[in-house]
Tab-separated table of all heavy atoms in Angstrom:
chain	number	residue	atom	x	y	z
A	287	TYR	N	233.312	31.492	196.404
A	287	TYR	CA	234.641	32.297	196.307
A	287	TYR	C	234.245	33.754	195.985
A	287	TYR	O	234.848	34.668	196.500
A	287	TYR	CB	235.419	31.644	195.198
A	287	TYR	CG	235.842	30.251	195.497
A	287	TYR	CD1	235.259	29.215	194.963
A	287	TYR	CD2	236.934	29.958	196.286
A	287	TYR	CE1	235.458	27.940	195.185
A	287	TYR	CE2	237.375	28.664	196.545
A	287	TYR	CZ	236.603	27.617	195.994
A	287	TYR	OH	237.012	26.369	196.226
A	288	LEU	N	233.279	33.992	195.058
A	288	LEU	CA	232.997	35.365	194.590
A	288	LEU	C	231.767	35.943	195.259
A	288	LEU	O	231.640	37.131	195.017
A	288	LEU	CB	232.712	35.330	192.969
A	288	LEU	CG	233.800	34.788	192.149
A	288	LEU	CD1	233.510	34.854	190.801
A	288	LEU	CD2	235.159	35.695	192.352
A	289	GLY	N	231.157	35.210	196.090
A	289	GLY	CA	230.019	35.780	196.858
A	289	GLY	C	230.213	36.417	198.078
A	289	GLY	O	229.271	36.846	198.788
A	290	PHE	N	231.545	36.615	198.483
A	290	PHE	CA	231.968	37.303	199.625
A	290	PHE	C	233.005	38.407	199.350
A	290	PHE	O	233.646	38.406	198.404
A	290	PHE	CB	232.437	36.312	200.672
A	290	PHE	CG	231.479	35.216	201.023
A	290	PHE	CD1	231.464	34.022	200.374
A	290	PHE	CD2	230.537	35.513	202.069
A	290	PHE	CE1	230.699	33.004	200.767
A	290	PHE	CE2	229.650	34.481	202.394
A	290	PHE	CZ	229.663	33.295	201.725
A	291	THR	N	233.259	39.262	200.334
A	291	THR	CA	234.234	40.249	200.145
A	291	THR	C	235.606	39.627	200.595
A	291	THR	O	235.836	39.342	201.808
A	291	THR	CB	234.050	41.536	201.040
A	291	THR	OG1	232.776	42.067	200.672
A	291	THR	CG2	235.158	42.485	200.843
A	292	ASN	N	236.396	39.284	199.561
A	292	ASN	CA	237.708	38.555	199.848
A	292	ASN	C	238.587	38.830	198.726
A	292	ASN	O	238.404	39.728	197.857
A	292	ASN	CB	237.430	37.056	199.957
A	292	ASN	CG	236.718	36.425	198.850
A	292	ASN	OD1	236.821	36.893	197.631
A	292	ASN	ND2	235.943	35.460	199.029
A	293	ILE	N	239.729	38.118	198.671
A	293	ILE	CA	240.795	38.400	197.735
A	293	ILE	C	240.250	38.097	196.292
A	293	ILE	O	240.588	38.761	195.345
A	293	ILE	CB	242.055	37.656	197.965
A	293	ILE	CG1	243.177	37.995	196.953
A	293	ILE	CG2	241.783	36.081	198.032
A	293	ILE	CD1	243.590	39.468	196.973
A	294	TYR	N	239.555	36.997	196.152
A	294	TYR	CA	238.994	36.753	194.838
A	294	TYR	C	238.016	37.753	194.208
A	294	TYR	O	238.114	38.201	193.132
A	294	TYR	CB	238.238	35.354	194.931
A	294	TYR	CG	239.117	34.225	195.426
A	294	TYR	CD1	238.802	33.635	196.639
A	294	TYR	CD2	240.346	33.741	194.739
A	294	TYR	CE1	239.594	32.565	197.152
A	294	TYR	CE2	241.060	32.871	195.234
A	294	TYR	CZ	240.786	32.209	196.434
A	294	TYR	OH	241.603	31.232	196.990
A	295	SER	N	237.034	38.181	195.022
A	295	SER	CA	236.086	39.247	194.605
A	295	SER	C	236.777	40.558	194.436
A	295	SER	O	236.388	41.267	193.447
A	295	SER	CB	234.953	39.355	195.613
A	295	SER	OG	235.440	39.714	196.790
A	296	THR	N	237.784	40.870	195.261
A	296	THR	CA	238.636	42.085	195.023
A	296	THR	C	239.279	42.110	193.661
A	296	THR	O	239.276	43.140	193.029
A	296	THR	CB	239.477	42.253	196.213
A	296	THR	OG1	238.905	42.356	197.414
A	296	THR	CG2	240.324	43.579	196.025
A	297	LEU	N	239.889	40.939	193.283
A	297	LEU	CA	240.692	40.873	192.033
A	297	LEU	C	239.775	40.880	190.909
A	297	LEU	O	239.976	41.403	189.871
A	297	LEU	CB	241.471	39.566	191.996
A	297	LEU	CG	242.701	39.523	192.875
A	297	LEU	CD1	243.179	38.030	192.883
A	297	LEU	CD2	243.676	40.484	192.559
A	298	PHE	N	238.449	40.513	191.077
A	298	PHE	CA	237.458	40.287	190.040
A	298	PHE	C	236.694	41.635	189.778
A	298	PHE	O	235.968	41.838	188.808
A	298	PHE	CB	236.617	39.108	190.346
A	298	PHE	CG	235.685	38.718	189.149
A	298	PHE	CD1	236.191	38.421	188.009
A	298	PHE	CD2	234.333	38.611	189.304
A	298	PHE	CE1	235.330	37.935	186.866
A	298	PHE	CE2	233.481	38.257	188.315
A	298	PHE	CZ	234.023	37.805	187.077
A	299	CYS	N	236.606	42.496	190.727
A	299	CYS	CA	235.541	43.557	190.685
A	299	CYS	C	235.954	44.803	189.824
A	299	CYS	O	237.111	44.939	189.433
A	299	CYS	CB	235.462	44.168	192.178
A	299	CYS	SG	236.833	45.147	192.721
A	300	SER	N	234.928	45.421	189.461
A	300	SER	CA	234.981	46.711	188.810
A	300	SER	C	235.843	46.771	187.439
A	300	SER	O	236.739	47.534	187.391
A	300	SER	CB	235.512	47.879	189.693
A	300	SER	OG	234.618	47.901	190.752
A	301	GLN	N	235.607	45.752	186.550
A	301	GLN	CA	236.246	45.768	185.268
A	301	GLN	C	235.289	45.299	184.131
A	301	GLN	O	234.411	44.608	184.573
A	301	GLN	CB	237.517	44.991	185.376
A	301	GLN	CG	237.246	43.527	185.876
A	301	GLN	CD	238.610	42.870	186.212
A	301	GLN	OE1	239.512	42.681	185.444
A	301	GLN	NE2	238.847	42.521	187.400
Side-chain angles (χ1 to χ4, degrees):
Y287 300 97
L288 297 179
F290 302 96
T291 303
N292 54 32
I293 184 62
Y294 303 117
S295 59
T296 300
L297 290 172
F298 191 57
C299 74
S300 302
Q301 53 192 299

